[in-house]
Amino acid sequence: MVKRPDIIEWLDDTGREIVHRVPENGSGEFRIGSQLVVRESQEAVFFRDGKAMDALGPGRHTLTTQNIPFLAELAGMAFAGDGSPFRAEVHYVNKKTFTDMKWGTKEPIIFRDKELAMVRLRAFGQFSIRVSQSQLFVNKMVGTEGRYTAEAVEGFLKGIIISRLADLLGESLQSIFDLAAKYDEIATLGKARLADDFEKYGLQLVDFYINAITPPDEVQKRIDERTSMAALGVNDYMRYKTATAVSDAAQNTAGGGGAATGVGLGAGVGMGAAMAQM
């Protein structure tokens, strides 16, 4: 914050502050005639006695009873003349779009797949937000904090995203085999469904992306096997698996003596019999 006796303004050096209160430690003394500077990407919300009184948009505002309506309306306010002080606080709200915010599942989402039965899925992606209603956001999310960062709200919003995504997957997806063609559709539906949840806190969900939805490693292995079976045909795939197993058994028994060799031969005979039955 840059502050001179007649100038009140705030600059975000970190790029991650959403709200900054002036002064940080509570209400302070402002003087009639002081100038409040609000930049294009900001909005200033005045508080008096813990209540939001007015919101000022971009520009240089001189604090007078003529152009700051709430000053003239304060009950019992009597000024001796120009420059008379009054106690208040200003919450500067950063209205820019905060990008590169990330969401992801800490615990897998249980999904009922029509082909694989119950599957646990992990998902992650990115989203961006901006404050659409400054007073609502300050009252519901910031409270009495002197500064409020993007990281502070990110964790809370992640929980909302994961909750809605779990419902959305159950409604719009039948099998994880269809995921590749559904990412954009799920992301669009997710953004529309999350909009109301964000608006309750004075936020706009600007962008919402799904980077990946993945099953556990063992399920991915089953998917790879199914893909191989589809590409080779069931019989050819089983012949390939049998040949691979016999080769592995032979390698494992090399140098292992007659008993180990017998085990390897037995495995080969058993697999050969199974192939004959097929």
Side-chain angles (χ1 to χ4, degrees):
M1 178 188 72
V2 179
K3 184 176 180 181
R4 297 191 295 274
D6 59 342
I7 299 290
I8 304 161
E9 60 182 349
W10 168 69
L11 297 175
D12 176 22
D13 296 328
T14 67
R16 302 301 291 172
E17 280 194 70
I18 301 180
V19 176
H20 189 99
R21 183 177 65 201
V22 179
E24 287 189 27
N25 57 353
S27 63
E29 190 173 274
F30 294 81
R31 306 187 72 82
I32 294 296
S34 296
Q35 295 187 348
L36 183 75
V37 178
V38 183
R39 285 168 172 76
E40 285 289 343
S41 60
Q42 297 176 336
E43 194 167 41
V45 182
F46 259 102
F47 277 75
R48 168 83 179 194
D49 297 330
K51 182 179 180 181
M53 305 299 295
D54 209 349
L56 304 177
R60 181 183 290 265
H61 306 273
T62 301
L63 304 186
T64 69
T65 56
Q66 285 74 36
N67 63 2
I68 310 296
F70 86 89
L71 294 180
E73 297 172 2
L74 289 176
M77 197 167 190
F79 296 110
D82 288 343
S84 298
F86 63 95
R87 295 195 67 82
E89 56 194 83
V90 178
H91 288 253
Y92 273 95
V93 180
N94 196 338
K95 301 293 291 285
K96 76 168 190 176
T97 299
F98 288 84
T99 60
D100 197 30
M101 303 185 79
K102 296 178 174 57
W103 62 269
T105 54
K106 289 184 178 180
E107 299 296 331
I109 301 172
I110 298 177
F111 173 70
R112 186 186 297 276
D113 192 286
K114 71 175 184 179
E115 298 189 37
L116 300 176
M118 302 300 289
V119 180
R120 293 179 181 272
L121 299 177
R122 293 188 179 277
F124 62 91
Q126 297 172 289
F127 66 104
S128 59
I129 61 168
R130 66 179 295 274
V131 178
S132 56
Q133 301 178 63
S134 298
Q135 289 186 219
L136 180 62
F137 179 76
V138 172
N139 286 331
K140 284 203 169 186
M141 298 295 295
V142 182
T144 59
E145 294 186 34
R147 56 194 298 271
Y148 198 79
T149 65
E151 287 71 25
V153 72
E154 187 174 12
F156 172 72
L157 298 178
K158 284 180 185 177
I160 297 177
I161 291 173
I162 297 302
S163 176
R164 294 301 185 194
L165 183 64
D167 291 339
L168 188 59
L169 286 177
E171 295 174 5
S172 59
L173 189 67
Q174 293 186 337
S175 174
I176 61 174
F177 293 107
D178 302 327
L179 271 175
K182 291 281 189 177
Y183 272 4
D184 287 344
E185 179 182 339
I186 295 173
T188 301
L189 293 173
K191 181 180 178 182
R193 186 164 299 187
L194 288 163
D196 290 341
D197 293 313
F198 280 51
E199 286 175 4
K200 289 190 301 186
Y201 300 98
L203 291 170
Q204 176 190 355
L205 179 60
V206 180
D207 299 297
F208 178 69
Y209 300 108
I210 297 175
N211 295 136
I213 301 175
T214 58
D217 292 341
E218 60 271 18
V219 176
Q220 292 189 48
K221 183 178 179 181
R222 290 171 61 186
I223 294 174
D224 291 340
E225 290 184 350
R226 173 181 173 148
T227 304
S228 299
M229 291 174 65
L232 297 175
V234 176
N235 290 339
D236 289 339
Y237 177 74
M238 292 305 298
R239 292 190 189 99
Y240 167 75
K241 293 288 287 184
T242 300
T244 302
V246 171
S247 176
D248 291 342
Q251 292 178 7
N252 291 335
T253 57
T261 303
V263 172
L265 291 173
V269 170
M271 292 180 181
M275 289 295 300
Q277 292 177 3
M278 290 179 60

